[in-house]
Amino acid sequence: PAYGELDYWTKRYANESRSNKPSEEFDWMCDWDQLQPTIDPLVADKKATILIVGCGNARLSCESYDAGYTNQVSFGDCDANKKGNYLL
């Protein structure tokens, strides 16, 4: 799949929406459990502002928030998934 193309995600979320099935959470590279050992030593202040670009419907924002990184902005560019966006 062309994960780097907006059109891929627009079609994927639109198809899932039309089928009335919940959108499967998707971490395209790795999840928080894999990232946390790298991020923790690099970010000295968990209150630092973090920008998560292309969040889609991944759990990364929620899981990093639960780990104490509470000052974050997460966004995606796909209109078809905007109904699933939420504010942390």
Side-chain angles (χ1 to χ4, degrees):
Y3 295 136
E5 300 295 324
L6 178 59
D7 190 52
Y8 167 80
W9 295 105
T10 300
K11 288 177 183 174
R12 176 183 168 145
Y13 292 130
N15 287 339
E16 289 174 356
S17 177
R18 279 194 298 275
S19 69
N20 289 323
K21 69 177 184 176
S23 185
E24 180 182 334
E25 295 169 356
F26 182 75
D27 288 296
W28 69 272
M29 185 172 225
C30 56
D31 60 22
W32 177 246
D33 289 337
Q34 294 167 302
L35 283 174
Q36 188 171 10
T38 301
I39 300 296
D40 281 347
L42 295 174
V43 181
D45 179 7
K46 287 189 173 185
K47 300 296 180 199
T49 303
I50 297 172
L51 176 62
I52 300 177
V53 178
C55 63
N57 62 354
R59 301 267 324 142
L60 179 66
S61 298
C62 294
E63 292 171 350
S64 58
Y65 183 93
D66 289 345
Y69 296 92
T70 57
N71 188 16
Q72 46 178 285
V73 176
S74 302
F75 74 94
D77 200 22
C78 184
D79 286 339
N81 195 38
K82 290 205 169 136
K83 70 178 183 179
N85 289 353
Y86 49 89
L87 182 62
L88 296 174

